[in-house]
Amino acid sequence: MASRTPARVVAIPLGLILAAAFAVRFWGITFGLPHTEARPDERAIIDVTRSFLSGNFTPYFFDYPWLYMWVLSVLYFLYSLWGIVTGTFHSVADFVASWPVAWTPFFLINRSLAAVLGSLTVIPVFWIGRRLWNDATGLVAAFFFALTFLHVRDSHFGTTDTMMTLFIVLSIAYLVEAGISGRRRHFALAGLMAGLAGATKYTALVLPISMVVSQALYAIERPAGRFKAFIGE
């Protein structure tokens, strides 16, 4: 059971951990630049989003699903609107055309998206630890995740990894909640998060296996009405 620790006692250290997660992921966000091939996948992702903004909604690119690129395209579009308002660009097409000579915003917006998503993953990590054990466990888990080297490193690059990881952790968090509550809504949300993870990177397509196992275990623990338990209450 989750502990009854006063919310403020938990919120303050969690807020500090979250701030640390943001700090280490944004520190050195310009790594490798102006060498645009420091992480080649970034260039491929940016090319797809530029294609979207140019009106080509079916680019011949299937190395990754397109969810991350669509989200990034929205951010680029908002940035181009801001540029139009401030007089930097005359149109969205003008922003897209600026790529060969002013590529810095393309990389920094992309990397910032990855850094924000990576930092926010601290919250569901805390929630999983809290629901399975207690607040202290959740805080310790969040602290170690916030400073995990591999995740921090990958959060510096505008690729699909951090978005996929966030959706995977959210899916697991809802599975944990579903295992405790048995509510169909939580299983459905776990499925939604798993689907979004798979729409971000193909690696996450194995995640539904965990969902089936979770449902099966929930049903096994309830000898009476197992079929009802399996489909959710």
Side-chain angles (χ1 to χ4, degrees), residues 11 32 34 62 65 90 94 131 164 173 184 197 205 219 223 231:
F62 304 102
H90 299 294
D94 190 27
R131 290 298 283 155
M164 178 195 68
R184 185 180 299 133
L205 293 176
I231 63 174

Side-chain angles (χ1 to χ4, degrees), residues 49 52 59 65 77 82 88 107 113 146 149 163 168 177 200 216 225-226:
T49 58
F52 288 157
F77 179 73
W82 173 254
T88 304
F107 280 91
L113 172 60
F149 172 78
M163 177 179 277
I168 287 175
E177 192 66 33
T200 305
R226 283 182 175 173

Side-chain angles (χ1 to χ4, degrees), residues 210-230:
S210 301
M211 300 172 57
V212 174
V213 171
S214 177
Q215 281 278 43
L217 290 174
Y218 179 71
I220 291 171
E221 292 172 356
R222 288 154 180 78
R226 283 182 175 173
F227 177 75
K228 182 179 178 181
F230 187 77

